[in-house]
Amino acid sequence: MSGPKRGDILLASLRHAWPVMLGYVMIGLPCGLMEQAIGLNPLECFLVSCTFYSGAGQFMIPNMVLAGSPLYSIIASVSFVNTRQVLYSAAFSPFFQGVGKRLSFLFSATVTDESFGVNLEQFRVDPAWTPTHALLVNLCCMFTWGTANAVGCALGAVLDLPVAITSFAMTSIFICLLATQSITRQTLVVMVCSAIGVTVCKLVGLGGPAILLGAVAGVLCGLAYDRWGGEAHESS
């Protein structure tokens, strides 16, 4: 029996990728507007989106550039945010046994938060879901993201939209994600300590690495609470 046709594989991938693609249009447009504000043109936005491909990172860069953050702080902050991608790729390793290195590399380089969720769920529930399906989901999402960034950049050249509004797009997404999470004691510790850490850094003049240091402080406090505070709560 012959395997599925290429067209059928593409349609199956698009069927699961389109909600993410639609979301990327709505997020990519303001991201492109932000990138235009720091001097990128549509082609550069598209190329950055297809090589760097990090929504959070691409929002952070123009925000930090416009805020006057030093280069080392931008690199460190964006790198810290994107460390999660390593775990995403590692989570798929059981499903890529025996797959060629080129396909595995391309897939790993194009994983994002949203495509990770789509593909991991499909691998778990659909025995017919293959690495090729998963890669096509990634590529469809990446192409949509890059195109939306390029269009947003082009619009930014003709529309006079306040940077403060467009820069809040990614922040609002994280607020929505946070609001939908199950708030536990550990989560509250991380939130409060991160906010305090960022505030303290800014008060002492460390505006550049404030987000990075605040996030690290929040994570460390959360781990400490999980190690000692959680045990104390259980014993009581």
Side-chain angles (χ1 to χ4, degrees):
M1 181 181 296
S2 60
K5 298 179 180 179
R6 292 182 180 180
D8 294 336
I9 295 176
L10 178 59
L11 288 176
S13 299
L14 281 172
R15 189 160 54 247
H16 293 282
W18 77 263
V20 177
M21 295 165 65
L22 182 61
Y24 278 1
V25 171
M26 307 309 297
I27 305 172
L29 291 174
C31 187
L33 290 168
M34 290 294 299
E35 290 166 328
Q36 189 275 334
I38 62 172
L40 296 184
N41 61 46
L43 177 59
E44 290 170 338
C45 287
F46 183 81
L47 293 177
V48 168
S49 299
C50 292
T51 52
F52 182 59
Y53 193 29
S54 168
Q58 285 177 244
F59 266 99
M60 288 176 65
I61 291 173
N63 272 294
M64 297 183 74
V65 169
L66 293 173
S69 301
L71 180 61
Y72 76 87
S73 177
I74 296 174
I75 294 174
S77 298
V78 174
S79 298
F80 180 78
V81 168
N82 287 336
T83 52
R84 70 193 189 283
Q85 304 286 18
V86 177
L87 300 178
Y88 288 170
S89 298
F92 286 112
S93 58
F95 306 106
F96 278 72
Q97 300 296 328
V99 175
K101 291 183 178 180
R102 291 183 180 180
L103 192 153
S104 297
F105 173 81
L106 186 56
F107 175 84
S108 299
T110 55
V111 174
T112 61
D113 299 355
E114 295 77 16
S115 63
F116 170 81
V118 170
N119 281 319
L120 189 61
E121 178 65 16
Q122 287 304 116
F123 274 124
R124 288 175 173 172
V125 303
D126 186 359
W129 195 255
T130 66
T132 302
H133 286 95
L135 175 60
L136 287 173
V137 168
N138 288 2
L139 294 178
C140 289
C141 294
M142 183 180 71
F143 180 79
T144 303
W145 172 254
T147 302
N149 271 255
V151 172
C153 181
L155 290 175
V158 297
L159 298 178
D160 186 20
L161 294 177
V163 173
I165 295 178
T166 56
S167 64
F168 188 70
M170 197 68 184
T171 303
S172 64
I173 293 171
F174 281 111
I175 292 175
C176 291
L177 291 173
L178 181 62
T180 58
Q181 297 299 307
S182 176
I183 303 300
T184 64
R185 287 183 174 86
Q186 185 181 20
T187 305
L188 288 173
V189 168
V190 173
M191 292 167 54
V192 172
C193 292
S194 296
I196 293 175
V198 172
T199 303
V200 170
C201 287
K202 289 184 176 293
L203 289 175
V204 300
L206 296 174
I211 296 176
L212 173 64
L213 296 177
V216 171
V219 171
L220 292 177
C221 289
L223 292 173
Y225 176 83
D226 184 57
R227 176 66 178 84
W228 291 292
E231 291 182 355
H233 179 72
E234 290 178 0
S235 61
S236 63

